[in-house]
Amino acid sequence: MLKLIQSKLEDPNEPFLGPNLKSLHFWGIILPNNAFKRKIYMCMHASLLLFASIVYVDIWFIRSDFDLLLKSIKYNLLTTINCVKIVTFVAWQGEWLDVIKYVSNADKKSRAKNNEVQNGIIQSYTRYCRVVTYSYWFLTCCTVLTVVLQPIAKYCFSPAYRESVRNGSELFDQVLSHKAPFNYDHVPEYIIALTYTTWATVYAGGLINSFDTISICIMVFFKGELQLLENSCTMLFEGGDKGSVFRNVRECQNRHAELVKYASVFNGCLSPIMFLYVLVTSFGLCASVYQITIETSTMQRLLTAEYAIFGVAQLLFYCWHGHDVIHASHSPMRGVFESGWWKHNHCRKEILLLTGQLDQRVYFTAGPFFNLTLGSFVNILKGAYSYYTLITQKQ
């Protein structure tokens, strides 16, 4: 069954980004060319934006209940991130499609070369991206199910809450707390509100899957492309004659310039979202830890812990792969020094120019404040712990 599903997700025309592109098209992040389908997806996106607005209205009405307010803000911020993803991807769709097109074409060119070492690198990062993509999808599905089934789980495993609902002293929980334009204390209105919040949660999960996995896979590709460029630089003098060396140098220069160009475009699209990610993850983590400490139900603690793990994993994926790209950006220049350049006196000037160009660092940022590295991730966790300490002392 799993192999059948995997075969359906693969695309022979897109050997690297096949599953990710299908996910982007399925959830409407890449808008279709058909005008009718485009309008449907735009209405779905607008509906999610509307949902994000009504959940913030509810914050005003529950501001006196600190625990409920903390829970509501934690989930609402995640919804806000998804709305920002939709708006920025649609607004900057040209830049995103240019980066995706570059990644796809560069990958196909590398696969067309009959080089055993480079083929091994390509297969390695392709297999790694599949593992990351499917693992991330599984983690997101578990989180969405956790959020959707949380009211049912609370009703089933909390006798006191179940009795309160039966005698009318407490209302049945919503999937996400929000202020609907009608009174959902009655059954018909409640069913409508429950259906709407469930759809919004599932749809937001699909957007998280699509956006995050395509972004992470692009970051993995940049690391792999730098490794391939290193291998090409080690073979600069394989042709032997001066003309072959000049062609190899020119190819490496153009390849690196194109990589730096599209890495900059990609960072421009991703950096504002990552800055919001840092804020949301920091608040969500400290809020989840605080809820775990005050929650009396074991099931509720497990559900909250799963949500916290998902939030931390999201940011860790970005910081981990951003750190890998920065480390790999040193590789191409090292490849030049491993090429045996000292044996050839006729092109030392060109080699010197090439090493100067390859000295540029490729990195990704979270706003204008810091780079996406493992050190930054540790600092974010320290900041989240400081917020948690502040909340507990305030309480």
Side-chain angles (χ1 to χ4, degrees):
M1 177 60 75
L2 293 177
K3 290 185 178 180
L4 178 61
I5 296 175
Q6 184 179 358
S7 64
K8 294 293 184 182
L9 292 172
E10 296 294 338
D11 185 356
N13 297 322
E14 296 290 343
F16 177 55
L17 293 177
N20 307 98
L21 291 177
K22 286 188 176 182
S23 180
L24 289 173
H25 286 288
F26 178 80
W27 293 103
I29 299 183
I30 295 181
L31 297 174
N33 296 325
N34 184 280
F36 179 72
K37 292 182 178 180
R38 180 185 289 262
K39 290 179 180 179
I40 291 178
Y41 277 119
M42 291 300 292
C43 290
M44 294 172 64
H45 296 338
S47 180
L48 188 62
L49 295 176
L50 175 63
F51 178 77
S53 63
I54 64 177
V55 294
Y56 276 105
V57 173
D58 186 63
I59 293 177
W60 172 259
F61 294 92
I62 62 174
R63 64 187 184 277
S64 58
D65 189 336
F66 180 77
D67 295 339
L68 186 59
L69 178 65
L70 200 64
K71 176 183 176 182
S72 180
I73 293 177
K74 181 181 70 173
Y75 288 133
N76 295 349
L77 288 176
L78 187 60
T79 305
T80 302
I81 284 291
N82 284 283
C83 294
V84 172
K85 289 177 182 178
I86 294 175
V87 173
T88 56
F89 202 103
V90 173
W92 302 331
Q93 189 145 131
E95 288 80 358
W96 275 103
L97 293 179
D98 286 343
V99 173
I100 292 173
K101 183 179 179 181
Y102 158 73
V103 171
S104 180
N105 292 337
D107 176 72
K108 291 176 183 177
K109 288 180 181 179
S110 299
R111 291 174 188 272
K113 296 180 180 180
N114 187 18
N115 184 294
E116 185 177 351
V117 176
Q118 295 198 4
N119 288 339
I121 296 173
I122 294 170
Q123 295 301 321
S124 177
Y125 71 66
T126 302
R127 185 166 53 251
Y128 178 79
C129 283
R130 291 295 186 273
V131 172
V132 169
T133 298
Y134 297 141
S135 300
Y136 198 93
W137 287 0
F138 176 76
L139 183 60
T140 307
C141 289
C142 291
T143 304
V144 169
L145 287 175
T146 297
V147 176
V148 171
L149 298 178
Q150 190 166 356
I152 300 176
K154 184 177 180 180
Y155 184 85
C156 294
F157 295 98
S158 177
Y161 170 72
R162 186 164 58 247
E163 183 61 29
S164 299
V165 172
R166 288 175 179 175
N167 60 32
S169 61
E170 191 171 355
L171 296 176
F172 193 79
D173 280 357
Q174 288 285 322
V175 173
L176 293 176
S177 179
H178 68 287
K179 182 56 65 176
F182 47 80
N183 184 8
Y184 54 78
D185 294 347
H186 303 92
V187 175
E189 290 87 347
Y190 173 77
I191 293 176
I192 295 174
L194 181 64
T195 303
Y196 185 33
T197 53
T198 301
W199 169 84
T201 304
V202 174
Y203 188 57
L207 295 175
I208 291 175
N209 271 336
S210 303
F211 186 93
D212 288 349
T213 52
I214 189 70
S215 301
I216 293 171
C217 287
I218 289 175
M219 296 172 76
V220 173
F221 170 80
F222 280 120
K223 174 190 174 183
E225 181 69 5
L226 288 166
Q227 292 174 336
L228 293 174
L229 188 58
E230 177 190 7
N231 181 258
S232 297
C233 289
T234 60
M235 300 185 295
L236 287 174
F237 300 97
E238 280 207 350
D241 59 291
K242 187 175 182 179
S244 299
V245 174
F246 284 165
R247 281 194 299 270
N248 293 337
V249 171
R250 190 182 305 114
E251 179 185 357
C252 291
Q253 286 177 331
N254 294 336
R255 194 170 173 181
H256 186 265
E258 197 173 24
L259 184 150
V260 172
K261 171 187 173 182
Y262 285 102
S264 177
V265 175
F266 174 71
N267 185 57
C269 295
L270 187 67
S271 182
I273 299 173
M274 291 311 305
F275 175 65
L276 291 177
Y277 246 134
V278 171
L279 298 180
V280 171
T281 302
S282 299
F283 181 83
L285 180 59
C286 72
S288 298
V289 174
Y290 173 76
Q291 288 177 325
I292 291 173
T293 58
I294 65 173
E295 188 62 57
T296 57
S297 172
T298 303
M299 179 58 65
Q300 288 297 313
R301 286 182 176 180
L302 291 176
L303 295 176
T304 304
E306 198 280 334
Y307 181 87
I309 292 172
F310 175 70
V312 173
Q314 279 183 300
L315 188 59
L316 176 60
F317 274 128
Y318 282 103
C319 291
W320 184 286
H321 296 98
H323 186 90
D324 282 348
V325 172
I326 294 177
H327 181 73
S329 62
H330 298 269
S331 301
M333 188 171 63
R334 184 169 61 244
V336 176
F337 287 100
E338 296 174 356
S339 63
W341 55 272
W342 64 90
K343 300 178 183 178
H344 304 271
N345 297 324
H346 55 275
C347 55
R348 289 190 176 182
K349 180 180 178 181
E350 288 75 11
I351 297 299
L352 182 62
L353 292 174
L354 176 61
T355 54
Q357 177 179 332
L358 297 179
D359 193 36
Q360 299 182 64
R361 297 294 174 260
V362 181
Y363 55 89
F364 304 114
T365 62
F369 301 102
F370 53 84
N371 297 334
L372 294 177
T373 62
L374 292 177
S376 301
F377 176 75
V378 173
N379 290 331
I380 293 168
L381 294 184
K382 291 180 180 178
Y385 179 76
S386 300
Y387 302 150
Y388 163 74
T389 304
L390 180 63
I391 291 176
T392 54
Q393 291 180 351
K394 181 69 176 177
Q395 283 301 98

